[in-house]
Amino acid sequence: MGSHTVETKEIKNIYCIGRNYRLHALELGNEVPESPMVFTKPSHAVAAMDGSTVELPGGVGEVHFELEIVLRVGEGYKPGAPTDEIFDAMTLGLDLTLRDVQSKLKAKGHPWLAAKGFKASAPLGDWIPYPGEAALAETEFTLQRGEEVAQRGCAKDMLFGVTALVHHIEANYGLGPGDLLFTGTPAGVAALRDGETLQAFWGEQKLGACRVALKN
C-alpha cells in the first residue's frame, strides 16, 4: 500500500496537461494539440481519495471525472536532470471539471480556472514510488465507477510523454520540489452522479477511492 496524500502545504505548483490522449480530445470535439496544453490548479484544489466523501458543486451544470497519472517532483530536483531522477512518487488523481462552466469560458476566450480550479477539484490517491518512464508505460490504470470500468488508459498512449512534458514545463514555466504534474486523461470522461463511488486502480492496486456528493 502506498503512503497517504501529501499535505497541501507541501504542494507547490500543480501543472495539468489537457488533451494528452488523442481519443479524449476527439470525444469532446477538440483539436489534437501540436504541443503540450498546460493549465494549473491551486493547491487548495487537492482532496484525499481515502474513501471519504468529496463534496463538489452541484448547481452549476455537469461535473466530469477525468482520471490521470500524477507525478511528484522530489526534493532532490535539479534543472536539466534526467527525467527518471526528477520525480520521487506517483499516484492517480482526478482532474474534476465543471464542463458546462468550461464550455462557457471557452466560448468567451476566458481562462479555465473557475471550471478546473475549484475546491476539491483535484482528489489524489496514495503515493507509490515512481517506477521510471519506461515502466510507467507498461501498466494500465482504470477508474471504476460503481461496478463498471469508466476509464482505462496507459501512459504509452500519451501524445506527449513524460520527458517531453518535463522539457516543455521546465523551459516555459519552471519546475521545483513539491510540484505535481497531472499528465492527461484517456477517453471515457462523463458526468458524475450524486452519491456514486469512484475507485482508482494502478494495475490491480487500488490507489484511491471516494464517494461523490453534489451540493447545490
Side-chain angles (χ1 to χ4, degrees):
M1 194 67 180
S3 62
H4 195 62
T5 307
V6 293
E7 294 292 332
T8 301
K9 65 182 179 181
E10 299 175 358
I11 297 173
K12 305 303 182 185
N13 300 296
I14 302 178
Y15 293 111
C16 305
I17 308 301
R19 307 177 193 174
N20 201 24
Y21 289 77
R22 184 175 182 275
L23 292 180
H24 169 61
L26 296 177
E27 74 179 342
L28 295 181
N30 294 317
E31 295 181 357
V32 176
E34 296 181 358
S35 61
M37 178 181 293
V38 183
F39 61 94
T40 62
K41 289 178 181 273
S43 60
H44 303 290
V46 169
M49 288 188 73
D50 57 2
S52 59
T53 297
V54 176
E55 294 189 356
L56 303 169
V60 288
E62 293 185 347
V63 185
H64 280 207
F65 57 79
E66 300 185 11
L67 184 67
E68 310 197 7
I69 296 170
V70 183
L71 309 179
R72 184 178 70 192
V73 179
E75 290 298 323
Y77 168 77
K78 295 180 180 179
T83 304
D84 283 355
E85 297 178 10
I86 288 175
F87 301 105
D88 68 351
M90 63 158 287
T91 189
L92 296 175
L94 293 170
D95 169 19
L96 298 179
T97 305
L98 300 180
R99 191 68 71 199
D100 295 335
V101 173
Q102 185 187 35
S103 295
K104 293 176 183 177
L105 293 171
K106 287 167 62 178
K108 296 178 180 179
H110 291 176
W112 295 356
L113 182 61
K116 291 283 195 177
F118 56 95
K119 292 179 180 178
S121 64
L124 295 174
D126 291 336
W127 294 100
I128 59 175
Y130 178 59
E133 186 170 8
L136 196 73
E138 297 175 354
T139 302
E140 282 194 339
F141 60 98
T142 55
L143 180 69
Q144 187 168 316
R145 186 184 190 191
E147 299 301 320
E148 300 179 352
V149 173
Q151 286 186 280
R152 185 185 303 276
C154 186
K156 65 180 175 59
D157 296 322
M158 290 181 185
L159 293 174
F160 305 101
V162 174
T163 296
L165 295 177
V166 166
H167 290 168
H168 182 81
I169 293 172
E170 279 186 325
N172 291 280
Y173 312 109
L175 274 176
D179 287 351
L180 304 186
L181 175 58
F182 279 68
T183 56
T185 193
V189 305
L192 290 167
R193 296 184 290 261
D194 183 52
E196 69 180 342
T197 299
L198 303 176
Q199 298 181 85
F201 289 88
W202 177 248
E204 299 297 322
Q205 182 179 7
K206 184 167 73 172
L207 294 186
C210 64
R211 178 182 176 275
V212 174
L214 300 178
K215 300 293 185 179
N216 293 321

